[in-house]
Amino acid sequence: MDERIAELESMALAARAKKGRMDAASRDKASALLASIWADASIDPAPTFQLLEDVKAEAIAEAIRSCWPGMDNSRRNLFRKWVPAPSTEKSYRRLTFLVASVIELDGATALYWLGLLVPSGRKNLSKESRETLASILFGERILSFDTLVREGGSVAELVRICATLFDIAADPIFSVSALTRSRLATAILGYLARPDAPKDSLAVSDLRSKIAADAKKWPPSLRDNLISTPEATADTGPSPPLVANATHTQPVKPTAQEPMLSTSAPLLVGPLKEELPRLEGELSNRISAMTRELDLLRHAHECIAKLVGAAEQVEAQREAASRELQRVQDLLRIAESERERSRMDCSRETKRASDMAAALDQEKLHAENERKRLAQQISANANGRIEEFKNRVGLTLSRLVIDLPGKETPVTAEVGKILLLQFHQFLDALRQEGIETFSGRVGSR
Amino acid sequence: MSFFGIDFGTTNSGAVKLAEHAEAQHYGDEFGEPLPSIVAIDRATGVAIGGRKVWEARERYIDSGQYHIVQSVKWKLGKDQVWVTEQRTWSPREVTSFILTQLSDRAAALGIDRIDRAAITIPVDFPASSRTELRLAAEAADIELSTFVTESTAAFMRYLPQLRHCHYVAVFDWGGGTLDISILEIRGGTIFELSTEGMEIAGDEIDLDLARAIHARVMEQRHCAIPFESMPAADRDNLRTKCERAKCQLTSLDSTDVLLTSYGEGTLHFVLERAWFESLITAHVDLAIETLTKAIENCRLSFDALDRLLIIGGSSKIRLLQSKLRADRRFSAALYVSEQAEWDVAHGAAIVELSPGGYETAESIGIMLSDNTFYEIISHGERAFKRQRELALSLVEDSRQANIIVEKRAKRDSAGSERILAFSVDTLGFDLEELRLNYNITHDLILKLRASSAAMGSRDGAGGEYGKLRFAYHIDD
C-alpha cells in the first residue's frame, strides 16, 4: 500500500475516533495527501474511497479543487462515479463543497453534481439544503459561474439549475451580497445571450424577470454594469467580443471574475474621460458611504462588545442562579428525605404505641388473671395449710393415744396412771403446736 | 412462673415449689410432712394406698397379709420385680408414678398448679436403667422430668449463696433410710463429686433399735423373754411410733415418757433418758462420722481443706451427732447445720430447675484406633449433649468385622483408661471401607453409640450404651 494512502487511512481512523472532528492542520494535511494521491497517475486511488467517509468535506473539496485540473478524464469519471446522490445532511454538504471546488474548473461536472443537489423531480428544496447551497456557493469566497454556464450540458437543465441558484441567491433570508448576485446574474444573462441559449421559454422569461427585479436592489454601479451588458439592455443577441473574451482567451479569466472591468474596459476607453467626473462623484459617494458604514460597523462592534459583556454577565448570573438552584434542589432533597424519615418514624412510633397499648391490655388481662389465680392459690394454700395443721395436731395427738382403750374397758390403777400421763403428754403436745391450754394452771391449783 | 423440685427419697419424698415474690412451698403428705415413700397394694382389688397412714400402720399392713407393702421402690426401678394382684400387676415404674402423682395432687390442692415439670433428685450411683424408668414414671404422672440432679448437688444448690465461694464441701445427708455422704469440689462454677460413701443405718433403724431396747427392758421387768418380732403387729407399730416421737422429743428435752396402755400382757411406761438413748445410738453416730472421715480420705483431702460440712436429713437433728461433730476439731469449723433438713434436697432441686446450668462430662471418652491410640470423641468438661453426632472411620484391614472399642479416661492425656464398651460391626471387608459411628448422651445421661458400614447401611449396624459416665454440674452465670 502506498505510504500516502496508509497515512491518510490513519488520519481517517483518528477522525473517526473523534467522531469526524479534524483540526485545521490535520485537515490541510489530509487535503494535501488526497490531492497528491489523486494527482499521481501511477497509483490506484480507489482505496481512498472508503476513507473519504471519515475525512472532512472541506478537505476533500480542497483536494479536488487542487488536483482536478491535473486529472485525466478516466480518473475524473472514477471520482464522479464514486460521488453518491446525497442522502444525508453530511453527504449533501460534502457534495456542495465539491460543486464549489469544481464550479470554476469543470462546468459539466459542476452541473452534473448540482443536478444531484437540486433534483428535477422535486419542486422545492428544503430550507436546510437552500442554506447549505447559499452558505457554500454564495458565501465568503466569491465564485465565478461563467464556467458553469459555458460548459454546462443540457440547456434545460442548465436553465433549471441557474433559476434555482438565483432564487436562492436572491432570497433575502440568506443575505447573499449584491456583488455575488450580480456575478451570477451576469453569468446567466451572458449565457442567455448566446445563440444556442433558449430564448422564449417560460422558465427563461421568469428567470430574466427575477434578475431584473433583483437588480433594482443592487448598488447603482452594479446595476449600471448589468444594464450595460448587451443582454441586459436589449435582447438582440450576444456581443461577440464579450463571448470571445470569456470563452477563448485564458488570460482573460480575471476579467471574467471582474465583470465590470472585463465587459467595459475595452469598450469604454473613449467615454471614460467623459464619465470620469461621474465616477469620481460616485467614488466620493462610495467613500463617504463606506465611512458611514465604517462608523456603523464600529458602532455595531461596540454594541456587540456590550452585548458580549452583557451576555457574559448574564451567563455568570445564569451560572450563579444554576448553582443556587442546585443548592436549593439539594436542600429540597434533604428535606424530602428528612420528611420521609420523619414520616416513617412517626408511623413506626404510632405502631409501637399501638403495640404497647395492646401489650398493656394483654398485661392487664394477664395481671388480672394472675391476681385471680394467686387469690385462688392463696385461698387454697391457706385452707390447705390449716388443714395440714389440723391434721398434724390430730396425728400428733392420735399418736399419743394410739393405744387408747375402749370406753367400756375397766381401768385399773396402772392403766389409769398411764392414761393420766398420756393426757399430760396430750396437753404438752397441744402447747408445742402453739395451742394454749389452761389445764396446767387448773391442775396446779 | 413456678419451678418444682422433687426429692424422690428411699423413705420419704417431697416437692418444693419456687415462685416469684413467694416463699418456697413444701408439698408432702396431708400432715405437712414429707410423704412416706411407702405404698400398700391390695392383693384382691389391686388398689394402692400410700402415705402417712400406711407408714404409721405398716406392721399391721404387713401382718394382715392382704397387702403388698412396697418400700424403697426407688432401688427397684429398672428391675424385673412386680407385684401381682387379682386385678392387675404393679411394676416399680407404676408404684413410682403413684407416689409422684400423690405429690402432684398435693401441689394442686395447696397451690392450684399441678407439677407439670420438675428436676428430680437421684443418688450419685443411680443406675442408668433406673434413670430411664424414673423418667417414664414421671411422664406417667404427667410430669416432665427436666433434668436429673444428684441429691448432694441439690443440697449444695439449696445453700448456694452461702457455699458459692467454697472449694470443698462435704454433704452429710442422714435421712430415714440411708446416710449418704458426698465430697464436692467446686471449680469454675462446676460441681464435681469427688467421692461418695454411705451406710444403710439411719432414722428408721434407730427407731427400731430404740423400740427393741425398750422392749428388752420391759420384758426384763416382766421376767419374760418374748422377742420383739413375736409381739403383735399393732404393739410393734405402736411402740415404733412412740419411739420415733420420743427420739424427736429428745432433740430438745433431756427425758421423755414412752407410754402405752397396752403392750403385750400389760401397760408400758418407760422413762427415756437422753443419756441412755445416746448410749444406744453412739455406735451408729460413730459409724456415721467414721463414714464421713472415710469419704474425705478417699479423695485425699485434708480436713483443713474442707470449707463446709453441710448437715441435712431428718436424722441429722440428733443432738449426739451435732455435739460430736462440734467437739471434733476436724469438723467443728466447717459445720453447717440445716434448719429445714427434710426439705433441703427438694428445695435445691427446684433451684436447679430455676437456674440455668447443666451437666458436663467429668471424663474423657474415646475409641481405640488400630494403632492402639486413644481417639477422643467426648472431651472432659463438655456439656452433655442430646443431639446425635457422627464420626467417619475407615477399615484398615480386609476383615468382615470391625471391632469398636470405647474407653474412658480422666482426661484425654491421662495415663490409663478403662474399657467401657466393645462391639463388632459387620462390614463388606474391603480396604478403607467407611464406617459411621453415631453417638450421643441422652436425657438420662446415658452414652449411646451405634456404628455401621456406610456401604451396608445402618440396618446392619451394631452399638451399645453406657450409663456409668461421671458428670459434673455446671452453674451458669
Side-chain angles (χ1 to χ4, degrees), chain B residues 112-129:
Chain B
I112 304 293
D113 299 328
R114 294 189 68 80
I115 304 175
D116 54 352
R117 178 186 159 95
I120 300 183
T121 61
I122 53 170
V124 174
D125 53 349
F126 203 49
S129 58

Side-chain angles (χ1 to χ4, degrees), chain B residues 337-379:
Chain B
V337 181
S338 161
E339 291 172 2
Q340 288 189 307
E342 298 92 341
W343 300 101
D344 281 340
V345 172
H347 195 149
I351 292 172
V352 167
E353 171 70 1
L354 167 71
S355 318
Y359 277 100
E360 293 177 351
T361 51
E363 292 167 312
S364 168
I365 312 296
I367 55 170
M368 299 308 292
L369 302 180
S370 59
D371 60 357
N372 210 31
T373 54
F374 179 82
Y375 184 83
E376 186 179 62
I377 57 173
I378 299 170
S379 57

Side-chain angles (χ1 to χ4, degrees), chain B residues 6-13 35-42 46-51 54 67-85 88-105 120 126 130 133-143:
Chain B
I6 296 176
D7 173 14
F8 180 49
T10 308
T11 312
N12 292 303
S13 296
L35 177 74
S37 305
I38 186 170
V39 175
I41 304 169
D42 193 316
V47 173
I49 51 173
V54 178
Y67 294 91
H68 291 295
I69 301 299
V70 185
Q71 296 186 78
S72 306
V73 68
K74 181 164 80 170
W75 294 106
K76 296 181 173 72
L77 281 167
K79 293 180 179 164
D80 294 335
Q81 185 175 357
V82 292
W83 296 273
V84 180
T85 70
R88 56 171 292 194
T89 299
W90 283 77
S91 66
R93 187 201 300 174
E94 289 168 321
V95 174
T96 303
S97 178
F98 177 78
I99 294 169
L100 294 176
T101 303
Q102 282 185 300
L103 288 175
S104 188
D105 288 346
I120 300 183
F126 203 49
S130 304
E133 283 293 305
L134 179 54
R135 178 179 294 282
L136 295 172
E139 278 177 15
D142 289 330
I143 297 171

Side-chain angles (χ1 to χ4, degrees), chain A residues 284-301:
Chain A
S284 174
N285 289 342
R286 180 66 184 145
I287 288 166
S288 60
M290 285 178 73
T291 308
R292 282 198 305 276
E293 281 174 8
L294 202 60
D295 291 342
L296 194 64
L297 285 170
R298 197 173 288 121
H299 182 66
H301 180 259

Side-chain angles (χ1 to χ4, degrees), chain A residues 327-341:
Chain A
R327 196 181 65 81
V328 169
Q329 280 176 342
D330 288 346
L331 287 173
L332 190 63
R333 266 198 300 279
I334 291 167
E336 276 178 357
S337 133
E338 195 72 25
R339 187 190 60 185
E340 193 58 33
R341 196 163 54 243

Side-chain angles (χ1 to χ4, degrees), chain A residues 2-23:
Chain A
D2 187 85
E3 285 179 3
R4 289 166 292 180
I5 295 176
E7 193 174 356
L8 183 68
E9 185 177 3
S10 67
M11 293 186 78
L13 287 172
R16 186 187 298 173
K18 292 179 185 174
K19 298 182 178 175
R21 284 193 293 274
M22 292 178 89
D23 57 22

Side-chain angles (χ1 to χ4, degrees), chain B residues 11-262:
Chain B
T11 312
N12 292 303
S13 296
V16 168
K17 179 170 85 171
L18 298 179
E20 275 185 319
H21 313 303
E23 288 186 1
Q25 296 295 311
H26 303 159
Y27 303 115
D29 63 12
E30 64 272 37
F31 304 101
E33 293 180 5
L35 177 74
S37 305
I38 186 170
V39 175
I41 304 169
D42 193 316
R43 291 174 189 268
T45 62
V47 173
I49 51 173
R52 183 70 53 192
K53 284 174 185 169
V54 178
W55 175 255
E56 296 284 333
R58 57 191 179 281
E59 297 287 351
R60 269 167 281 180
Y61 275 101
I62 292 168
D63 278 5
S64 72
Q66 294 174 17
Y67 294 91
H68 291 295
I69 301 299
V70 185
Q71 296 186 78
S72 306
V73 68
K74 181 164 80 170
W75 294 106
K76 296 181 173 72
L77 281 167
K79 293 180 179 164
D80 294 335
Q81 185 175 357
V82 292
W83 296 273
V84 180
T85 70
E86 290 176 19
Q87 301 298 323
R88 56 171 292 194
T89 299
W90 283 77
S91 66
R93 187 201 300 174
E94 289 168 321
V95 174
T96 303
S97 178
F98 177 78
I99 294 169
L100 294 176
T101 303
Q102 282 185 300
L103 288 175
S104 188
D105 288 346
R106 193 71 196 145
L110 293 178
I112 304 293
D113 299 328
R114 294 189 68 80
I115 304 175
D116 54 352
R117 178 186 159 95
I120 300 183
T121 61
I122 53 170
V124 174
D125 53 349
F126 203 49
S129 58
S130 304
R131 293 199 291 263
T132 305
E133 283 293 305
L134 179 54
R135 178 179 294 282
L136 295 172
E139 278 177 15
D142 289 330
I143 297 171
E144 181 193 348
L145 200 164
S146 61
T147 183
F148 292 111
V149 56
T150 59
E151 287 155 355
S152 50
T153 299
F156 175 87
M157 291 296 285
R158 167 66 182 90
Y159 294 101
L160 183 63
Q162 295 89 332
L163 304 177
R164 182 181 284 277
H165 302 296
C166 295
H167 290 298
Y168 295 101
V169 173
V171 178
F172 185 98
D173 181 4
W174 206 6
T178 56
L179 165 67
D180 298 304
I181 296 167
S182 294
I183 309 300
L184 307 180
E185 180 185 2
I186 299 90
R187 193 174 354 116
T190 303
I191 306 165
F192 295 92
E193 307 239 8
L194 296 184
S195 78
T196 56
E197 281 292 334
M199 67 176 194
E200 294 193 351
I201 297 170
D204 298 342
E205 190 71 20
I206 290 171
D207 295 344
L208 191 60
D209 282 355
L210 180 58
R212 282 197 175 113
I214 293 174
H215 171 82
R217 280 290 181 92
V218 170
M219 290 299 119
E220 197 178 302
Q221 286 169 5
R222 290 182 188 173
H223 305 291
C224 61
I226 303 169
F228 179 71
E229 281 70 25
S230 301
M231 293 297 287
D235 286 354
R236 292 202 306 269
D237 274 341
N238 291 345
L239 184 56
R240 281 181 71 172
T241 303
K242 294 281 186 179
C243 286
E244 186 187 354
R245 180 185 174 278
K247 181 184 73 178
C248 295
Q249 290 282 305
L250 291 182
T251 58
S252 56
L253 302 173
D254 287 332
S255 73
T256 185
D257 292 322
V258 177
L259 299 165
L260 284 172
T261 54
S262 169

Side-chain angles (χ1 to χ4, degrees), chain A residues 373 376-377 380-381 384-385 388 391-392 395 399-400 402-403 405 414-415 418-419 421-422 425 432, chain B residues 17 25-26 30-32 56 106 110-113 238 241-242 245 249 257 259-262 267 269:
Chain A
R373 202 179 70 83
Q376 283 178 335
Q377 204 166 341
N381 197 38
R385 295 303 178 193
E388 268 183 4
N391 288 343
R392 190 166 59 248
L395 177 68
R399 275 176 176 170
L400 289 172
I402 198 166
D403 55 339
E414 192 181 5
V415 172
I418 297 293
L419 286 173
L421 290 172
Q422 281 186 341
Q425 281 186 336
Q432 278 175 5
Chain B
K17 179 170 85 171
Q25 296 295 311
H26 303 159
E30 64 272 37
F31 304 101
E56 296 284 333
R106 193 71 196 145
L110 293 178
I112 304 293
D113 299 328
N238 291 345
T241 303
K242 294 281 186 179
R245 180 185 174 278
Q249 290 282 305
D257 292 322
L259 299 165
L260 284 172
T261 54
S262 169
T267 58
H269 179 198

